[in-house]
Amino acid sequence: MANTGVPVKAMRETALYLSGFQKRDLHGLNLAYDGTLTIDRFMHRGRAVRQDLNQWIEANLERHHVDVHHGRATFVDAYTVRVEDETEPRLLEAGVILIATGSTPHRPSTIPFAGPGVYDSDTIQHMERLPRSLAIAGGGTIGCEYACLFKVLGLDEVRIINSGERILPFADSEISTMLREGMESLGVEFHMPDFVERVDATPALTLQLRSGKQLEPEALLVALGRRSNVAALRLENAGVWLDEHGQLLVNEHFQTNVPHIYAAGDVIGGHALASTAMEEARMAMDHAFPFGGRFRLNDITAGLDSTSGVGAFLPIGIWTIPEISMVGETEQGLLAKGVAHTVGRWRYDANPRGMLLAEHWGLLKLLFSLPDEKLRGVHVIGDNACELIAAGLVAMTLGATCSTLIDTCFNYPSLSDLYKYAAYDAMGRIDRGDVYRPWAPAQPPLYPQKTSSRNSSDTP
Ligand SMILES: Cc1cc2nc3c(=O)[nH]c(=O)nc-3n(C[C@H](O)[C@H](O)[C@H](O)COP(=O)(O)OP(=O)(O)OC[C@H]3O[C@@H](n4cnc5c(N)ncnc54)[C@H](O)[C@@H]3O)c2cc1C
């Protein structure tokens, strides 16, 4: 993460700062970037933060007396790893092994990555100068983050080509629809559902789409998922199995089919986030060394019901503009599972702090199961979404209900107060019977898209 995600986040902060994006509407200023910066200067802050982070990680490893061997690791057998470095190979033996080799961008063979102007999510960080127009294949996390970043930086044209009907299909559909609207208002254009069928990189970049359209962007970013780094490991020497997609199989303790060999992070797939990777690795090592840690995960979760295990509540943060974050169930997930529930929403522009920020896109959406009124999902779009999620995440981990949030006193004026008002909104819906019950006769959708992002008129 320090080497991939952090520079992108730093670029985003720099882009927001340079463009005056956040302040523009408030103060009537327009500090638009004039396009004269090179990408190298633009990456300055990212490099500095990455260097600091890497130094901090190295110091931390040293402080914990961890021996670090730089080089490429391959399995010799189930207890021995060979490390090839610049000098001589070393053999390391261990009773417990954790595979955390991460992932690399998927590069479809049909795309000429050697051609000028063709990038993946790793190489785009080394682009020499900003293009005027950029096409992005893929409407997932990386594609959407880069699209917002480059549009805010002042590129004339940023287009996303996405094969699905929705960007970020794993997100709550109301939030991903709002995000698309937010991105469109920045000027990002969408071609979806559509597909990049052919790319010609010489003499100029030409994309042939399945719909028959042809695009001629100055640069192409391919963000079509990532692949686990397993090929070089020689897992067969350790007897570790992969599934038919080349994915490492692990159980709930992150053990592979060879019980003392664990795997965590991007290499096992899933949401491929640094936060999740660190938590998985911690849980894996907690299982491998049950009496080794001072703080035991099970101590924290002891006494919670079976649905509130820590692994069930891994948050997702996406640094698009507007930012989004989520944890737990989505509304479509609860509907698909036939879980009785209701929704509570509150918009930033009906919250004093949100008004100060003038955050037009902001919304907090809470999902409560019924009849227990437990918090099952938290979805945020808008400024500081990735921070604001934390209150909901802790509340869910501790088994909070709608009343817990109503009974909590939040700072004023603060975005956290959105939790209280979204909970009031949910309570109002429960009182009015505005809830989804799987056993009820078929009825029209409860929350039509056009009005869904508005707050209930039921103010407390
Ligand atoms: C552009 C971008 C933006 C992102 N933004 C975010 C974000 O905002 N928030 C977030 O939570 N996540 C983000 N991520 C995802 C995050 O970076 C990854 O989920 C995280 O780094 C995964 O950690 P990991 O330890 O599993 O793998 P990695 O961090 O990839 O580490 C794996 C390491 O293993 C090494 N390795 C591979 N094979 C071998 C081998 N055979 N021998 C020895 N070493 C080997 C690799 O060189 C690498 O150093 C982003 C990713 C990208 C690409």
Side-chain angles (χ1 to χ4, degrees), residues 1-9 69-74 81-84 99-105 121-122 124-125 141-142 145-146 226 229-234 264-268 271-278 280-281 315-319 386:
M1 169 70 186
N3 295 318
T4 50
V6 167
V8 183
K9 301 300 153 316
H69 300 266
H70 293 279
R72 182 167 293 273
T74 50
V81 167
R82 177 187 170 97
V83 181
E84 307 266 1
I99 302 172
T101 46
S103 62
T104 35
S121 58
D122 289 350
I124 199 157
Q125 298 185 19
T141 307
I142 289 177
E145 284 192 5
Y146 271 115
R226 298 179 66 89
N229 289 332
V230 286
L233 285 172
R234 308 206 56 186
D266 279 19
V267 76
I268 60 166
H271 279 301
L273 289 168
S275 49
T276 313
M278 287 185 276
E280 289 170 354
I316 297 176
I318 302 177
W319 277 264
C386 296

Side-chain angles (χ1 to χ4, degrees), residues 182-201:
M183 290 172 67
E184 278 170 340
S185 77
L186 287 179
V188 176
E189 291 171 51
F190 290 88
H191 297 261
M192 53 193 279
D194 210 337
F195 194 82
V196 180
E197 281 204 322
R198 215 183 58 241
V199 179
D200 293 320

